[in-house]
Amino acid sequence: MAKVLQLTLAVIKPDAVAHPLMLEALHQRILDNSFVIVRCKDLVWRRQDSERFYAEHSGRFFYQRLVEFMSSGPMRAYVLAREDAIRHWRDLMGPTKVFRARHTSPASIRAQFGLTDTRNTTHGSGRSPLCVLISTKIIITVRSQLISAVKEKPREGEDRRSKIIVACFFSFNRGTLNKI
């Protein structure tokens, strides 16, 4: 029986990208946990980009701090694939609150690398495939960048065949994505 791969969005936040050894360790953790790297993109957000991405948190006490932090430096965004990818990525990240992560999930990324609840190293899409599609659409311009990603030389750990499958997936579902 063929495995059904699920996609998820993983973002390595500016606090980790600022430290090359930490960034490399996180990249390796992704590979060691059986994720296929479909797409990897380094990006820098303006304040408006962060506001748009975290709009659902507007008005919450941490919103301004989060927006400022996410636009403070470079990030790395991944589209990852594996069976039950959303749950596996969320488990690997650990709880959002670093203190809680250190006590309940000491092997998680946030427990090992996180500094504060905002500077907690990683972001992951919500718990549903729709959240992944919305988040991925915000970060990656589907029509141009994913299709050009298929033509790019893969980075270490990336799988060109997976890129083609995902590009076809997004092309097939373009009507759905454009309505989001």
Side-chain angles (χ1 to χ4, degrees), residues 93-104:
M93 285 190 305
T96 301
K97 296 184 181 299
V98 172
F99 181 79
R100 182 175 297 144
R102 288 186 179 145
H103 289 283
T104 63

Side-chain angles (χ1 to χ4, degrees), residues 159-179:
D159 184 341
R160 180 177 298 272
R161 289 169 301 178
S162 297
K163 285 182 175 184
I164 294 167
I165 291 166
V166 170
C168 293
F169 170 81
F170 280 119
S171 295
F172 180 78
N173 289 293
R174 186 172 292 146
T176 304
L177 284 172
N178 285 337
K179 292 176 186 172

Side-chain angles (χ1 to χ4, degrees), residues 54-178:
Y54 288 106
E56 69 184 87
H57 299 302
S58 181
R60 310 258 326 254
F61 73 93
F62 58 83
Y63 176 72
Q64 290 303 323
R65 181 177 63 225
L66 180 61
V67 165
E68 302 243 345
F69 171 62
M70 294 302 283
S71 55
S72 69
M75 294 180 289
R76 178 164 292 168
Y78 292 92
V79 175
L80 303 176
R82 74 170 274 178
E83 283 185 87
D84 204 11
I86 297 169
R87 183 183 61 78
H88 283 290
W89 176 244
R90 294 189 75 76
D91 288 348
L92 183 59
M93 285 190 305
T96 301
K97 296 184 181 299
V98 172
F99 181 79
R100 182 175 297 144
R102 288 186 179 145
H103 289 283
T104 63
S105 304
S108 70
I109 289 171
R110 288 174 172 157
Q112 294 181 352
F113 297 100
L115 301 173
T116 68
D117 295 348
T118 302
R119 298 174 189 279
N120 61 5
T121 311
T122 56
H123 168 87
S125 296
R127 289 173 166 69
S128 76
L130 181 59
C131 291
V132 173
L133 288 175
I134 292 168
S135 298
T136 304
K137 184 175 183 194
I138 291 170
I139 288 185
I140 299 171
T141 305
V142 175
R143 286 190 180 106
S144 61
Q145 293 178 354
L146 256 183
I147 292 170
S148 68
V150 173
K151 298 174 187 172
E152 290 175 12
K153 180 182 176 192
R155 291 183 184 201
E156 182 181 339
E158 285 187 326
D159 184 341
R160 180 177 298 272
R161 289 169 301 178
S162 297
K163 285 182 175 184
I164 294 167
I165 291 166
V166 170
C168 293
F169 170 81
F170 280 119
S171 295
F172 180 78
N173 289 293
R174 186 172 292 146
T176 304
L177 284 172
N178 285 337

Side-chain angles (χ1 to χ4, degrees), residues 44-54 67 71 138:
V44 178
W45 277 352
R46 298 167 296 153
R47 181 179 175 82
Q48 299 88 336
D49 300 323
S50 293
E51 288 171 345
R52 182 174 161 213
F53 189 76
Y54 288 106
V67 165
S71 55
I138 291 170

